[in-house]
Amino acid sequence: MLGDFFSRALVAGIGVALVAGPLGCFIVWRRMAYFGDTMAHSALLGVAFALLLDLPVAGGVFAIAALVALLLLLLERGNRISTDALLGILSHSTLAIGLVIVALMHWVRIDLNAFLFGDILAVSVPDIALVYGGGALILALLVWQWRPLLAATVNAELAEAEGLNPGRARLLLMLLMALVIAIAMKLVGVLLITSLLIIPAATARRLALTPERMALYAAGIGGLAVVGGLNGSLAFDTPSGPSIVVAALVLFLASLIVPQRRDIRAAPTPTETGRP
């Protein structure tokens, strides 16, 4: 089954979609899209860091993305700069620093397009093992911490009154995002990861009645986007990563035709609007 490049791409892409969909629901509920962009942009700095120190690329990306998340939490405590301004500074700074470091490493040949837009057709069997191994870990943590994560998303004060720890749930969510970016970067690229997290979840939100169903629908919609995007890429000779995102967009636009099923359980609203 994994003997040809297209089959490997399908298997790897579906694996990422199964993880990105449920995690993307929390990004949509918490209005963390800009934070997701910041984490994704920092991935290129992680690539440069890994190549400079001769480390695994996925490990370097995760380390830098996690560091950016922790740095944001520390800077927010000062309350001197708004969160969106901090995200803008970190997003563009990490991307620029990564590009500068990559440009200075003359001894290494780097295909920037592959890192920026992904190259899912070049995925290998070890890459698939990384996707499914990391994905299984992420899904296990999501299932284990589903109630604290959901409670902190709906109402942080109420969750704390119930003996839960909203701060820890928020940190866990950030680290899970860093891990998803690390395992998905090679497939869809730095600039498209956030789209794969957000669009299927936004589509599922219009169709689901409960948070749990929304997570399942988001995973399924992401898988359909991968299959449709890769087949479209093969048929029309278009870039595979962007084609997957376009397929996800088509599914979202199609969902607009269906009347939205409103239920408060399917659309948690964070108490701190606009904050990750």
Side-chain angles (χ1 to χ4, degrees):
M1 179 180 178
L2 301 179
D4 65 278
F5 71 93
F6 192 77
S7 297
R8 291 194 297 269
L10 276 175
V11 171
I14 291 173
V16 170
L18 293 176
V19 179
L23 186 60
C25 292
F26 286 99
I27 297 175
V28 170
W29 290 331
R30 286 174 169 257
R31 301 182 177 98
M32 293 176 64
Y34 198 13
F35 176 76
D37 276 332
T38 301
M39 298 279 281
H41 288 173
S42 70
L44 192 60
L45 179 57
V47 172
F49 175 76
L51 294 175
L52 192 62
L53 300 181
D54 196 23
L55 299 172
V57 171
V61 170
F62 174 75
I64 294 298
L67 182 62
V68 167
L70 294 174
L71 184 59
L72 175 64
L73 291 176
L74 291 175
L75 292 174
E76 280 183 336
R77 291 182 179 179
N79 291 324
R80 296 181 180 179
I81 306 177
S82 63
T83 300
D84 61 337
L86 286 173
L87 288 172
I89 292 170
L90 290 173
S91 174
H92 301 300
S93 298
T94 53
L95 180 61
I97 293 171
L99 288 170
V100 168
I101 293 177
V102 167
L104 291 175
M105 290 192 296
H106 303 292
W107 61 93
V108 179
R109 294 193 56 152
I110 301 174
D111 183 3
L112 278 179
N113 282 333
F115 287 117
L116 293 176
F117 301 106
D119 190 8
I120 193 172
L121 297 179
V123 69
S124 63
V125 174
D127 292 329
I128 294 175
L130 175 64
V131 167
Y132 279 87
L137 174 62
I138 293 169
L139 290 177
L141 289 172
L142 273 180
V143 171
W144 177 45
Q145 291 293 308
W146 181 263
R147 181 172 173 268
L149 284 170
L150 193 61
T153 298
V154 175
N155 192 308
E157 288 78 10
L158 183 59
E160 191 170 2
E162 291 180 354
L164 302 175
N165 190 331
R168 184 174 62 187
R170 181 184 176 198
L171 177 60
L172 174 63
L173 188 60
M174 291 179 171
L175 294 177
L176 291 179
M177 286 179 62
L179 186 54
V180 165
I181 290 168
I183 66 175
M185 182 192 63
K186 183 174 181 179
L187 278 66
V188 293
V190 168
L191 300 181
L192 303 176
I193 290 174
T194 314
S195 300
L196 198 58
L197 284 165
I198 294 172
I199 299 177
T203 306
R205 189 173 191 177
R206 296 187 54 83
L207 307 174
L209 288 176
T210 66
E212 291 77 15
R213 286 188 182 181
M214 179 174 163
L216 292 174
Y217 289 177
I221 291 166
L224 287 176
V226 168
V227 174
L230 285 176
N231 280 284
S233 173
L234 188 64
F236 300 106
D237 193 25
T238 55
S240 53
S243 296
I244 292 172
V245 177
V246 169
L249 175 62
V250 169
L251 292 173
F252 172 74
L253 294 176
S255 75
L256 298 179
I257 302 173
V258 181
Q260 186 169 7
R261 306 178 70 179
R262 296 185 178 275
D263 189 298
I264 191 171
R265 294 171 299 164
T269 302
T271 54
E272 295 180 287
T273 302
R275 293 173 64 89

